[in-house]
Amino acid sequence: MAAQALYRKWRSQTFDELIGQEPITQTLRNALRDDRIAHAYLFTGPRGTGKTSMARILAKAVNCEAAPAERPCNQCRICRAINEDRMLDLIEIDAASHTGVDNMRETVIDRVNFRPGEARYKIYIIDEVHMLSTSSFNALLKTLEEPPAHVIFILATTDVQKVPATVISRCQRFDFRRIPQREMVQHLQAICQAEERRAELDALNTIARHATGCMRDAISLLDQLMAYGGETITAQQVEAMLGTVPSAAIARLVNALAAHDPAAGLDVIGDLSTTGVELRELARQTVDYLRALLLIQLGGNETLIDLPAETIRDMAQQARRFDPAALLRAIRLFSQAVVDLRGNLQGVPQLALELAVVDAALDGAGQAPSVVSERQAAPVTGLARSAPAVAPVADKPTDALAESQPVSVPGQPTVAEKPAPLTPASAPAAGVAMAPTPTQAPPAPEDAADVDQLTVLRQNWARVKELLQNRRRTLLGILTGGVRFLAVEQSQVIIGFDGNKQGAPYSARRLLEPENKATLEAVLSEVLGGPHRIIVIAEDQYQPRVRTTPAVVQPEIVSVQAAEPEAVASRAVGSQPADDSVLSACQRTGRRGARTASGLTQRFDVK
C-alpha cells in the first residue's frame, strides 16, 4: 500500500489546527456557540489556504455530539466517520467533473429532500463551484435559496468572479487569505518535530517563500525533501531541488548595484549562469529582494515584507546605501529583464540580465553631464562665438533634470530669441575714417535670472532629493517617470513630459495632485530662494518665452577709398542674436569697437 501523502496526513482536523485564518475560525465558532448556523456558505481564496479543510471541519462541528465549545471533538461516531470518509450524509462534489445541469439535478436537486441517515444535517460540499455551467447555477439557485432545514451547502472556489452574483448573495461569504510566511514556517517546524526530522531554519524559510502562501504546496515540498536528503534538510538541498538562487548571491549582486560597480555585478551573473541557474528565476528573485529593500527603506509594514526579523535587520543596512528613485528604476529594469529573458537569445541567453545590471549599477554614479556637445562645453576664448560653459554638477540629477540639459546646434541660438532689428548706420563720406564709439548694452536681467535659477536647481539637486525624501518620497519616483525640467521663467518652474513615452502622462498627472504639487513647490521655493510654482506641460506644446534683447550697433573701422563708390551703401544687419555670456566676456577682457561687434553680430557687408 502506498504511503499517505504528508499533506493528507497533516490536514487540519479542528479549528485550532487551521493556520492563518483566525477571523473566519472565530466567526464560525461563535455561530456554533450561538446556534446561528447558516444554510449556505461560500469559501473563496487562493489554493491551499484551507477552504476544503474548513468545510470538513464545519461539517463535523455541526453534527458533533460533544458540547458546543468542544466541537469538533474527533472522538464521537460522527467525527470519526467523517475523518474516515465513510459518512453518507457528507456529499462532496467536484464541480469540474459535474458541470452539466443533468449532473446537478441527479446529484443534488433530486436527493436534497431526503433526510440524513445518521447525522443531524446533510452537508453538500461543492468544490470549485465556479466550474458549473450557467444552466447548473440556474437549476441550483432555487434549492440554494430555500433548502430543507436539514441541508447545509458549502461552496468552495478559487475564482469567485465566475460565480453569479445571485448565488453569492444567498451565501455567507468568507474570503481566505494567503498564509503568512512566519506562520507557515512555524507549522512546518511542528511537522518536522512530529516526524522526527531536522530542518534548517533557512531551508524552511525558502520552502515557505516558494509556496507563496499555499500551505499544501509547502507541506508537499517538505514531503519531497524528506525523501531527497538525509536526516537534516538543508538550505542547499532546497535550492538544488527548486533551482533557486542562493540568497547570498542575490545579496552580492545588490551590493554591486549599491556600489555602482557593474563589473562586480556581471561577475555574479557569470558565476551563476555557469552553474546552470535558471536566469528568469534569478531575475525574479532579484526583483523580490529589491522590493523588500524598497519597503524597508520607506518604512513599510513588516507584514508586506514577510521575512524573518534577522533578515530584515541585515537588509535595512543595505537599504541605506540606495536612493528610493534608484531602487524604483532597478525594480523596473529587472522586471523587464524577466520578460525579455523569455526570448532566450541563443549564444548569450543572459544578455537581458546583464544589461539590467549595468544600467542599474550606473544609475546614480558620478558621470559627466549628458547630451552636452564639445562646442557648448568649451570656454569662451577670443572672438569665437560659443555657448557658455556648463557648470559642474555636484550630484548627478535624476532624469527630470538630466534630460533637460539644452543641446547646442551649430549656427542656432540655444534659447529661442529674436534679436531686435538694428538701424543701418549711414555710410561716411569718401576718404573719412570712422572712429569707434564703444557702447555696450546691459545683459537682459530676466534672461540671466532664469538661466541662473535653472543652474541653481541643477547644482542643488542633491538638496532637493533630500527634502523630498524627508517630506514625500513618492515624488522622487514620479520625477523619474518621463518628466523633466525645461526652464525657470520668473517664478514658474516649467516641467515637461513626453506624451509618447510610456508612463510619462501618468507621472505628469501625479505631479498635479494637490499634495504632490504643494510639496514640490515648497521644496523648489526653498531651494531657489523665493516662491515658485510648477507648470506641467507637454514638451511638444512648450514654447520658450520670447524676449527682446537690445543689440549693439558697433561700426567697424574702415578706410574708404574714393575709388570704391560701393562704400556709400548701407551695411546689412546680421541675423545672429546677441549672446549675453559672450558680451560679458568681451566686457571683462576690455575688447571694444570692431572686435566686440564682430563677436556678437555678423560683419557689415560693404558694397
Side-chain angles (χ1 to χ4, degrees), residues 55 104 111 169 200 203 238 240 245 276 289 345 362-363 376 398 410 412 443 470-471 540 542 553-554 578 593 607:
M104 188 56 54
R111 300 183 182 183
S169 64
E200 295 179 354
V238 179
V245 183
Y289 194 96
L345 180 65
L362 293 180
D363 184 45
Q376 186 178 9
T398 57
Q412 297 290 336
N470 294 332
R471 300 181 186 181
D540 55 359
Y542 171 68
V553 178
Q554 187 66 36
K607 301 249 177 154

Side-chain angles (χ1 to χ4, degrees), residues 44-51 128 157-159 176-179 184 210-218:
T44 176
R47 59 185 175 85
T49 53
K51 298 184 298 297
E128 298 300 331
T157 178
T158 56
D159 195 355
F176 287 66
R177 59 169 182 160
R178 294 187 182 275
I179 302 172
M184 192 178 294
H210 186 267
T212 62
C214 177
M215 180 61 76
R216 183 170 59 244
D217 287 357

